[in-house]
Amino acid sequence: MPEIAVTKVERVAVDQNESVRVVHIERPEDWAACPECGVVSTTVRQRRTTRPRDLPYGEEQLTVRWHKRQFACAEPLCPRKAFTESVAEIPPRARVTGRLCRAAARRVACGASVAAACREYRLAWPLVHRHLTALADELLAEPEPVEVLGIDETRRGRARWRKRPDGTWDKLERFETNFVDLSGGQGLLGQAAGRTGSAVVDWLTARGPQWKQAVRVVAIDPAACYRTAIRRSLPHATIVVDHFHLIALANKALTSIRQRVTRDRRGRRGRASDPEWANRHRLLRARERLSEHTFTHMWNALIDHEPTGQILTAWIAKEELRTLLACARERQPRSVISHRLFRFHSWCANSAIPELATLAETIDAWWPETLAFITTQVTNARTEGTNRLIKDVARVAFGFRNLTNQRRRVRLACTHQTINPAA
Ligand SMILES: [Zn+2]
């Protein structure tokens, strides 16, 4: 009871008629200053008792009775003849206490929707939202400098389709770029609209030169616009590409080769009776996560039923890339890294499969950043955890219309602050 503490708790009594706990409070001072002219008055005109709603006491309802006084203004020239005393916790005309509103705001900060907090505490939406904004302003300060910065994108809302005049469709998607602290405990540092290089440059510029100078490593998805932006804004920082996305590229190449082989051979899409379709998930799983039996079954099915051998060639290319990236975990010397890179490249080149040539070119284009991952072992995995939280917040709210509200709620949820709902 931070603010009510300045008032005097007169008596706590269990009211027999209402069988509820009643707290009677009043201000200890026998004077009050007029809000109009500021002159102190001690002349009490009348007393009133109000019942502002408060938090429950354990499982019981707590009734607060505030015995407040109306004073006559001591200044004859003041247009206000009388005024009623008030405290910050229960402002004039308030029917609920401040701590009830703050408790509702903390419920929202802990993951409830504003509507759910309103139902639980029987409060109005604008009131809870106002206290939530105040709580966010208090908790969400300007981000502290970070050593390892993670940058990636999330889609805001669902993709929408719009018909063009010529009858074709346009896919409309809105993206946000997220900045995450990968070395410290600050969680989500901020968001910027769009997934462009300028969004990254503007956000970093707003942090100031000292903040930028402190960043040592930046982990990004393999997106050229992010790389260009980091090279421009943070020329001293090491750029690391996230290995998860590199393996995802290899898996994508493998899937498109499998689909093309099925189309060429059978003239249709894959079905459960096609061995390559039946093994589609096993193909994407890591080799060490397949049992010997499963691996043999998949291998033999493809040897027996896929005469071109392209799917297995692509699978081996994917595994070669994984072996190369495993140098990070195994802390292999440069000679082993070069050897594995050569093996991956020559396998892709000798296969004469266009999708694998593209994959090898992409790895080549991102080689300095891939090598930086192998030597630093920095991954963007923590930003992926943040992305899940970002989506959860949008789901709980049934989507957002107001971007400012969304950003505030997302950052509250993704900041590694412990908010005690009962504090
Ligand atoms: Zn006055």
Side-chain angles (χ1 to χ4, degrees):
M1 234 189 244
E3 270 295 328
I4 291 182
V6 303
T7 69
K8 187 173 84 188
V9 176
E10 191 190 36
R11 61 184 189 275
V12 178
V14 177
D15 196 312
Q16 289 303 321
N17 297 332
E18 298 178 64
S19 68
V20 289
R21 198 169 289 263
V22 185
V23 177
H24 297 268
I25 56 170
E26 61 184 35
R27 269 179 81 235
E29 297 88 359
D30 57 2
W31 55 268
C34 170
E36 188 80 26
C37 61
V39 173
V40 168
S41 167
T42 51
T43 320
V44 176
R45 272 177 55 158
Q46 58 174 315
R47 289 168 188 277
R48 282 203 196 107
T49 299
T50 57
R51 296 171 57 162
R53 207 145 48 74
D54 195 28
L55 277 173
Y57 177 78
E59 289 181 346
E60 289 170 58
Q61 192 59 43
L62 186 74
T63 303
V64 175
R65 297 256 167 93
W66 183 22
H67 306 288
K68 57 182 178 183
R69 291 157 293 183
Q70 191 194 51
F71 288 89
C73 183
E75 171 55 55
L77 295 175
C78 180
R80 191 153 175 173
K81 298 295 170 216
F83 62 93
T84 306
E85 62 183 345
S86 69
V87 285
E89 191 67 357
I90 312 167
R93 282 177 289 280
R95 290 186 296 169
V96 290
T97 61
R99 64 173 191 170
L100 179 65
C101 301
R102 289 195 300 275
R106 278 195 300 273
R107 286 282 293 127
V108 180
C110 290
S113 68
V114 175
C118 291
R119 275 196 301 276
E120 186 177 337
Y121 293 101
R122 294 193 292 131
L123 296 171
W125 198 98
L127 183 67
V128 174
H129 187 257
R130 199 166 70 229
H131 280 83
L132 177 71
T133 311
L135 179 69
D137 288 345
E138 186 189 315
L139 291 179
L140 302 178
E142 176 68 12
E144 295 287 317
V146 298
E147 209 175 305
V148 184
L149 177 68
I151 299 179
D152 81 338
E153 59 180 38
T154 39
R155 198 173 64 188
R156 177 167 128 75
R158 263 190 222 155
R160 284 178 205 169
W161 294 87
R162 193 167 57 189
K163 203 169 188 176
R164 288 202 206 99
D166 62 352
T168 55
W169 290 85
D170 240 350
K171 193 178 189 184
L172 298 175
E173 289 179 296
R174 286 171 302 173
F175 285 89
E176 297 249 44
T177 299
N178 307 317
F179 300 86
V180 178
D181 179 6
L182 293 181
S183 50
Q186 295 187 78
L188 182 69
L189 302 165
Q191 293 184 294
R195 49 169 174 179
T196 56
S198 59
V200 173
V201 171
D202 293 349
W203 191 87
L204 289 170
T205 308
R207 302 283 81 72
Q210 269 191 326
W211 199 96
K212 283 174 22 177
Q213 201 56 41
V215 179
R216 206 172 45 80
V217 180
V218 187
I220 55 171
D221 300 353
C225 60
Y226 285 163
R227 180 167 60 180
T228 316
I230 300 299
R231 279 184 186 160
R232 222 171 85 201
S233 289
L234 309 170
H236 60 279
T238 309
I239 305 177
V240 172
V241 68
D242 189 52
H243 72 306
F244 170 83
H245 287 94
L246 295 175
I247 295 170
L249 286 177
N251 280 338
K252 217 170 125 190
L254 173 55
T255 300
S256 55
I257 290 167
R258 173 179 63 73
Q259 289 169 339
R260 179 173 54 74
V261 165
T262 303
R263 251 191 335 267
D264 289 353
R265 183 143 169 261
R266 308 178 199 270
R268 54 162 175 79
R269 295 174 56 167
R271 283 182 192 159
S273 57
D274 307 340
E276 69 273 18
W277 194 86
N279 282 297
R280 68 198 187 285
H281 294 311
R282 278 175 214 122
L283 283 165
L284 301 183
R285 207 180 295 166
R287 168 68 186 89
E288 64 274 11
R289 289 184 59 224
L290 292 171
S291 70
E292 274 319 303
H293 173 79
T294 318
F295 173 69
T296 316
H297 187 79
M298 175 189 88
W299 188 268
N300 290 343
L302 288 167
I303 292 274
D304 295 346
H305 301 285
E306 205 269 288
T308 68
Q310 290 188 60
I311 297 177
L312 277 185
T313 308
W315 182 84
I316 292 167
K318 185 254 298 183
E319 287 300 318
E320 286 289 353
L321 180 64
R322 290 193 56 249
T323 312
L324 169 64
L325 296 173
C327 288
R329 202 174 53 236
E330 299 163 3
R331 295 176 189 253
Q332 296 286 6
R334 275 305 285 265
S335 57
V336 176
I337 299 171
S338 312
H339 174 66
R340 290 185 184 179
L341 178 66
F342 175 76
R343 253 185 24 198
F344 166 72
H345 268 311
S346 52
W347 183 263
C348 290
N350 294 338
S351 71
I353 299 173
E355 289 90 342
L356 291 187
T358 312
L359 176 67
E361 276 163 25
T362 311
I363 297 298
D364 217 27
W366 286 88
W367 181 244
E369 292 78 16
T370 309
L371 183 63
F373 158 70
I374 294 173
T375 49
T376 62
Q377 291 122 43
V378 168
T379 81
N380 230 346
R382 212 187 268 187
T383 67
E384 302 300 324
T386 305
N387 290 350
R388 191 186 54 77
L389 280 174
I390 291 173
K391 285 182 183 133
D392 271 356
V393 172
R395 272 186 211 114
V396 164
F398 286 91
F400 283 96
R401 289 187 192 185
N402 183 312
L403 185 59
T404 318
N405 288 351
Q406 172 163 17
R407 292 232 174 109
R408 185 187 299 117
R409 291 271 296 281
V410 161
R411 211 173 147 219
L412 263 178
C414 302
T415 304
H416 298 187
Q417 295 255 13
T418 40
I419 300 161
N420 183 356

mmCIF file of all heavy atoms in Angstrom, residues 33-40 72-83, ligand 1:
data_model
loop_
_atom_site.group_PDB
_atom_site.id
_atom_site.type_symbol
_atom_site.label_atom_id
_atom_site.label_comp_id
_atom_site.label_asym_id
_atom_site.label_seq_id
_atom_site.Cartn_x
_atom_site.Cartn_y
_atom_site.Cartn_z
ATOM 1 N N ALA A 33 -4.637 21.753 1.348
ATOM 2 C CA ALA A 33 -4.434 22.951 0.530
ATOM 3 C C ALA A 33 -5.480 22.976 -0.576
ATOM 4 O O ALA A 33 -5.775 21.951 -1.195
ATOM 5 C CB ALA A 33 -3.044 22.948 -0.064
ATOM 6 N N CYS A 34 -6.022 24.145 -0.830
ATOM 7 C CA CYS A 34 -7.031 24.291 -1.891
ATOM 8 C C CYS A 34 -6.386 24.037 -3.246
ATOM 9 O O CYS A 34 -5.333 24.621 -3.551
ATOM 10 C CB CYS A 34 -7.614 25.699 -1.839
ATOM 11 S SG CYS A 34 -8.639 26.100 -3.265
ATOM 12 N N PRO A 35 -6.944 23.180 -4.095
ATOM 13 C CA PRO A 35 -6.324 22.915 -5.407
ATOM 14 C C PRO A 35 -6.374 24.121 -6.337
ATOM 15 O O PRO A 35 -5.619 24.180 -7.295
ATOM 16 C CB PRO A 35 -7.136 21.735 -5.947
ATOM 17 C CG PRO A 35 -8.405 21.724 -5.188
ATOM 18 C CD PRO A 35 -8.146 22.371 -3.867
ATOM 19 N N GLU A 36 -7.247 25.088 -6.043
ATOM 20 C CA GLU A 36 -7.392 26.258 -6.910
ATOM 21 C C GLU A 36 -6.340 27.325 -6.573
ATOM 22 O O GLU A 36 -5.600 27.779 -7.439
ATOM 23 C CB GLU A 36 -8.811 26.828 -6.741
ATOM 24 C CG GLU A 36 -9.178 27.932 -7.714
ATOM 25 C CD GLU A 36 -9.580 27.396 -9.085
ATOM 26 O OE1 GLU A 36 -10.035 26.236 -9.145
ATOM 27 O OE2 GLU A 36 -9.403 28.124 -10.071
ATOM 28 N N CYS A 37 -6.278 27.731 -5.275
ATOM 29 C CA CYS A 37 -5.398 28.845 -4.897
ATOM 30 C C CYS A 37 -4.193 28.391 -4.072
ATOM 31 O O CYS A 37 -3.249 29.157 -3.887
ATOM 32 C CB CYS A 37 -6.194 29.896 -4.126
ATOM 33 S SG CYS A 37 -6.893 29.241 -2.600
ATOM 34 N N GLY A 38 -4.212 27.183 -3.549
ATOM 35 C CA GLY A 38 -3.077 26.676 -2.797
ATOM 36 C C GLY A 38 -3.046 27.097 -1.348
ATOM 37 O O GLY A 38 -2.119 26.730 -0.617
ATOM 38 N N VAL A 39 -4.018 27.839 -0.900
ATOM 39 C CA VAL A 39 -4.040 28.297 0.500
ATOM 40 C C VAL A 39 -4.513 27.154 1.397
ATOM 41 O O VAL A 39 -5.455 26.443 1.072
ATOM 42 C CB VAL A 39 -4.956 29.543 0.635
ATOM 43 C CG1 VAL A 39 -5.130 29.934 2.099
ATOM 44 C CG2 VAL A 39 -4.377 30.693 -0.165
ATOM 45 N N VAL A 40 -3.800 27.014 2.520
ATOM 46 C CA VAL A 40 -4.098 25.916 3.433
ATOM 47 C C VAL A 40 -5.323 26.252 4.273
ATOM 48 O O VAL A 40 -5.467 27.381 4.752
ATOM 49 C CB VAL A 40 -2.870 25.635 4.332
ATOM 50 C CG1 VAL A 40 -3.232 24.704 5.485
ATOM 51 C CG2 VAL A 40 -1.746 25.047 3.497
ATOM 52 N N ALA A 72 -13.483 24.262 3.764
ATOM 53 C CA ALA A 72 -13.860 25.562 3.205
ATOM 54 C C ALA A 72 -12.572 26.278 2.831
ATOM 55 O O ALA A 72 -11.594 26.232 3.579
ATOM 56 C CB ALA A 72 -14.617 26.368 4.252
ATOM 57 N N CYS A 73 -12.521 26.910 1.666
ATOM 58 C CA CYS A 73 -11.295 27.592 1.267
ATOM 59 C C CYS A 73 -11.103 28.829 2.145
ATOM 60 O O CYS A 73 -12.033 29.594 2.384
ATOM 61 C CB CYS A 73 -11.350 27.973 -0.207
ATOM 62 S SG CYS A 73 -9.806 28.730 -0.736
ATOM 63 N N ALA A 74 -9.845 28.990 2.612
ATOM 64 C CA ALA A 74 -9.543 30.079 3.543
ATOM 65 C C ALA A 74 -9.301 31.397 2.829
ATOM 66 O O ALA A 74 -9.228 32.442 3.458
ATOM 67 C CB ALA A 74 -8.312 29.706 4.371
ATOM 68 N N GLU A 75 -9.196 31.389 1.527
ATOM 69 C CA GLU A 75 -8.893 32.612 0.765
ATOM 70 C C GLU A 75 -10.215 33.243 0.272
ATOM 71 O O GLU A 75 -10.908 32.648 -0.544
ATOM 72 C CB GLU A 75 -7.978 32.230 -0.422
ATOM 73 C CG GLU A 75 -7.733 33.306 -1.429
ATOM 74 C CD GLU A 75 -7.193 34.587 -0.822
ATOM 75 O OE1 GLU A 75 -6.153 34.526 -0.132
ATOM 76 O OE2 GLU A 75 -7.818 35.660 -1.019
ATOM 77 N N PRO A 76 -10.541 34.424 0.789
ATOM 78 C CA PRO A 76 -11.842 35.012 0.418
ATOM 79 C C PRO A 76 -11.967 35.307 -1.076
ATOM 80 O O PRO A 76 -13.061 35.272 -1.621
ATOM 81 C CB PRO A 76 -11.881 36.308 1.226
ATOM 82 C CG PRO A 76 -10.769 36.220 2.223
ATOM 83 C CD PRO A 76 -9.767 35.260 1.712
ATOM 84 N N LEU A 77 -10.812 35.588 -1.763
ATOM 85 C CA LEU A 77 -10.881 35.950 -3.186
ATOM 86 C C LEU A 77 -10.961 34.722 -4.097
ATOM 87 O O LEU A 77 -11.160 34.849 -5.293
ATOM 88 C CB LEU A 77 -9.644 36.777 -3.567
ATOM 89 C CG LEU A 77 -9.535 38.145 -2.892
ATOM 90 C CD1 LEU A 77 -8.217 38.814 -3.254
ATOM 91 C CD2 LEU A 77 -10.709 39.038 -3.288
ATOM 92 N N CYS A 78 -10.758 33.528 -3.535
ATOM 93 C CA CYS A 78 -10.749 32.305 -4.356
ATOM 94 C C CYS A 78 -12.156 32.008 -4.861
ATOM 95 O O CYS A 78 -13.121 32.052 -4.086
ATOM 96 C CB CYS A 78 -10.219 31.138 -3.518
ATOM 97 S SG CYS A 78 -10.178 29.606 -4.447
ATOM 98 N N PRO A 79 -12.292 31.738 -6.180
ATOM 99 C CA PRO A 79 -13.641 31.437 -6.696
ATOM 100 C C PRO A 79 -14.182 30.125 -6.133
ATOM 101 O O PRO A 79 -15.391 29.898 -6.145
ATOM 102 C CB PRO A 79 -13.423 31.341 -8.206
ATOM 103 C CG PRO A 79 -11.975 31.036 -8.379
ATOM 104 C CD PRO A 79 -11.256 31.675 -7.217
ATOM 105 N N ARG A 80 -13.287 29.284 -5.664
ATOM 106 C CA ARG A 80 -13.732 27.988 -5.153
ATOM 107 C C ARG A 80 -14.016 28.135 -3.661
ATOM 108 O O ARG A 80 -13.123 28.446 -2.887
ATOM 109 C CB ARG A 80 -12.608 26.977 -5.377
ATOM 110 C CG ARG A 80 -13.024 25.561 -5.138
ATOM 111 C CD ARG A 80 -12.162 24.662 -5.985
ATOM 112 N NE ARG A 80 -12.449 23.285 -5.703
ATOM 113 C CZ ARG A 80 -11.942 22.304 -6.396
ATOM 114 N NH1 ARG A 80 -11.107 22.567 -7.392
ATOM 115 N NH2 ARG A 80 -12.242 21.070 -6.100
ATOM 116 N N LYS A 81 -15.234 27.907 -3.297
ATOM 117 C CA LYS A 81 -15.599 28.131 -1.897
ATOM 118 C C LYS A 81 -15.217 26.925 -1.039
ATOM 119 O O LYS A 81 -14.912 27.070 0.134
ATOM 120 C CB LYS A 81 -17.106 28.391 -1.780
ATOM 121 C CG LYS A 81 -17.567 29.641 -2.524
ATOM 122 C CD LYS A 81 -16.966 30.906 -1.926
ATOM 123 C CE LYS A 81 -17.230 32.115 -2.804
ATOM 124 N NZ LYS A 81 -16.106 33.051 -2.816
ATOM 125 N N ALA A 82 -15.260 25.753 -1.630
ATOM 126 C CA ALA A 82 -14.984 24.544 -0.842
ATOM 127 C C ALA A 82 -14.278 23.506 -1.716
ATOM 128 O O ALA A 82 -14.395 23.548 -2.941
ATOM 129 C CB ALA A 82 -16.291 23.961 -0.312
ATOM 130 N N PHE A 83 -13.535 22.651 -1.067
ATOM 131 C CA PHE A 83 -12.858 21.578 -1.830
ATOM 132 C C PHE A 83 -12.774 20.336 -0.959
ATOM 133 O O PHE A 83 -12.750 20.412 0.271
ATOM 134 C CB PHE A 83 -11.461 22.024 -2.291
ATOM 135 C CG PHE A 83 -10.532 22.335 -1.159
ATOM 136 C CD1 PHE A 83 -9.677 21.354 -0.649
ATOM 137 C CD2 PHE A 83 -10.502 23.600 -0.589
ATOM 138 C CE1 PHE A 83 -8.830 21.642 0.403
ATOM 139 C CE2 PHE A 83 -9.660 23.888 0.466
ATOM 140 C CZ PHE A 83 -8.815 22.915 0.959
HETATM 141 ZN ZN ZN B 1 -9.016 28.317 -2.860
#
